[in-house]
Amino acid sequence: MNFEAITIKDIATALSLSVSTVSKALSDSHEISEKTKKIVTEYAEKHNYRPNPIAKSLKQGNSKSIGIVVSTIDNQFFSQVINGIESVAYSKGYNVIITQTHESFELEALNIKHLTYRSVDGILISLSTETSDVEHLKSLHKKGLPIVFFDRITDEIDTHKVIADNFNGAFEGTQHLLNSGYKRIAHITSSPNISITRERLNGYAKALEQAGIEFNEDYVKYCMHGGRDIDEVKNAMNDLLAMDKRPDAIFTTSDRITTTTLLLLQKMKIRIPDEMALLGFSNTQLADALNPPLSTIYQPGFEIGKNAIEMLISIIESKNPITEFETRALPTQLFIRDSSSPVKKRSS
């Protein structure tokens, strides 16, 4: 799909008018007759004309609006990120437009298209689990649209990025399970397409290696849509429980996967942590109220959002081209609760 179907020049050529006349007609200028305006606007609508958002922004100055692309706003982590973004954006005079991908590449591309049609000054994006091709973002970036990635990022576009320290968060979480006496630690994670999956898998694997435990690929289960469909997590759980040497602990990597795993273990009447310990990445504020209280790795969502918007505004408002970019990795926090209590402590 083309970024814009036809240009002002195309309209001018087709109607035998000057580019200036077409431009003024589309802007509803008083210099142009109503008859000419009608001819131009009807032709533009019929041929799916859309104004070039980059050119318009450069001509008119900042629109003072920022586009945000996340998977779902009902995710605690992304809600906190958005709060961080808004805390800075509004104070700087920017409005925000929030869109959701629901882990769909097609919807992500459509959201980006609509945001650019609204002439946003820049975009903050966390990629969907389906996204493996970022050409739709590359083309906009090359045209000069400021883009900053957060959480789920790509190395294919040279710009600012903000993430949680996923490797160390996963390493510390897995190390806690190992130190608590668990030896067969399964890993239920998201799509291998996204950066956080690779980073957290590497942290998990490193902790096992350091403890002298061989990495077992059979213990790693991928949920291709981030557990959006409960059956993804259920299938992963069934595979793990059917193993001859079934895991004695599960390390999960997202809010949705973590809380769904807890729910499924309870439905299966598997006692936590006596029969299966559980620890995962989650920003739920109800971790202490769950049964049992859930051990979690907390990401600084608010701070990630705050850093991301500050970096984006610095690009938007810079008078000179930005050529040096930074990837900020903010530390996670491990909260140890009853769902991962030590084996020795329970048996004593």
Side-chain angles (χ1 to χ4, degrees):
M1 184 177 291
N2 292 330
F3 181 57
E4 63 182 30
I6 59 172
T7 65
I8 288 178
K9 186 176 180 180
D10 293 330
I11 299 173
T13 300
L15 299 179
S16 299
L17 298 171
S18 70
V19 171
S20 175
T21 297
V22 172
S23 178
K24 290 178 181 178
L26 292 170
S27 300
D28 197 25
S29 170
H30 69 278
E31 299 176 49
I32 306 301
S33 70
E34 293 303 317
K35 179 181 178 181
T36 301
K37 286 180 188 176
K38 187 172 185 294
I39 292 170
V40 170
T41 54
E42 286 182 352
Y43 184 90
E45 289 175 6
K46 182 178 178 181
H47 292 83
N48 197 33
Y49 168 75
R50 295 290 186 273
N52 184 325
I54 307 303
K56 184 177 179 182
S57 179
L58 291 172
K59 182 177 179 180
Q60 298 182 351
N62 292 345
S63 66
K64 305 300 285 187
S65 61
I66 302 294
I68 303 173
V69 183
V70 297
S71 62
T72 56
I73 59 174
D74 62 357
N75 180 303
Q76 283 286 326
F77 169 71
F78 287 120
S79 294
Q80 292 163 14
V81 170
I82 290 168
N83 286 340
I85 291 170
E86 289 180 333
S87 74
V88 174
Y90 295 142
S91 69
K92 297 286 187 179
Y94 287 85
N95 294 311
V96 299
I97 304 170
I98 303 166
T99 65
Q100 303 178 85
T101 67
H102 299 287
E103 306 297 10
S104 164
F105 170 76
E106 183 179 351
L107 194 51
E108 175 182 296
L110 187 62
N111 286 341
I112 295 292
K113 174 184 170 184
H114 288 326
L115 287 171
T116 54
Y117 284 165
R118 297 184 70 171
S119 299
V120 294
D121 292 333
I123 289 175
L124 294 168
I125 180 169
S126 178
L127 297 171
S128 82
T129 53
E130 288 187 352
T131 302
S132 57
D133 182 351
V134 292
E135 286 301 322
H136 60 305
L137 294 164
K138 279 185 180 178
S139 61
L140 291 173
H141 188 252
K142 287 177 182 176
K143 289 180 181 179
L145 182 67
I147 299 173
V148 168
F149 291 90
F150 66 92
D151 186 44
R152 308 168 183 181
I153 65 175
T154 176
D155 293 329
E156 295 184 39
I157 298 176
D158 198 15
T159 187
H160 290 312
K161 297 153 192 172
V162 189
I163 61 173
D165 190 346
N166 294 298
F167 177 90
N168 280 321
F171 177 85
E172 290 173 2
T174 307
Q175 190 176 57
H176 159 67
L177 290 171
L178 291 164
N179 291 341
S180 295
Y182 302 100
K183 302 301 180 186
R184 300 187 304 278
I185 303 170
H187 185 49
I188 304 181
T189 187
S190 193
S191 166
N193 287 338
I194 56 176
S195 56
I196 60 172
T197 297
R198 297 187 294 272
E199 292 160 2
R200 294 171 186 178
L201 178 62
N202 289 339
Y204 160 80
K206 184 65 177 178
L208 294 178
E209 177 190 344
Q210 188 167 295
I213 295 177
E214 184 177 355
F215 177 84
N216 185 347
E217 187 67 48
D218 292 338
Y219 280 159
V220 180
K221 300 299 176 184
Y222 297 96
C223 296
M224 299 306 292
H225 297 90
R228 182 164 58 101
D229 181 348
I230 193 171
D231 284 339
E232 287 188 315
V233 185
K234 186 181 294 184
N235 291 337
M237 288 289 303
N238 287 337
D239 288 346
L240 292 171
L241 295 174
M243 296 178 68
D244 290 337
K245 291 186 177 181
R246 84 178 197 180
D248 55 8
I250 299 175
F251 166 49
T252 51
T253 61
S254 73
D255 263 297
R256 185 180 285 114
I257 293 174
T258 299
T259 53
T260 301
T261 299
L262 175 64
L263 174 66
L264 290 173
L265 286 171
Q266 291 172 334
K267 284 187 174 182
M268 294 173 181
K269 308 297 184 185
I270 295 174
R271 291 174 296 133
I272 310 168
D274 298 318
E275 295 177 273
M276 185 79 70
L278 176 63
L279 177 148
F281 275 81
S282 179
N283 278 36
T284 179
Q285 297 175 343
L286 299 175
D288 277 313
L290 296 173
N291 183 27
L294 181 63
S295 293
T296 58
I297 299 163
Y298 180 88
Q299 302 172 79
F302 186 90
E303 291 302 319
I304 287 174
K306 188 176 177 183
N307 276 259
I309 185 64
E310 288 173 347
M311 295 169 105
L312 184 63
I313 291 174
S314 73
I315 298 175
I316 293 169
E317 298 185 350
S318 175
K319 299 188 185 316
N320 300 308
I322 305 294
T323 57
E324 294 185 5
F325 299 100
E326 176 187 0
T327 297
R328 292 181 188 169
L330 305 186
T332 59
Q333 289 179 278
L334 173 62
F335 290 95
I336 299 170
R337 302 184 179 95
D338 292 353
S339 70
S340 65
S341 63
V343 173
K344 290 181 180 178
K345 180 179 179 180
R346 295 202 315 271
S347 61
S348 60

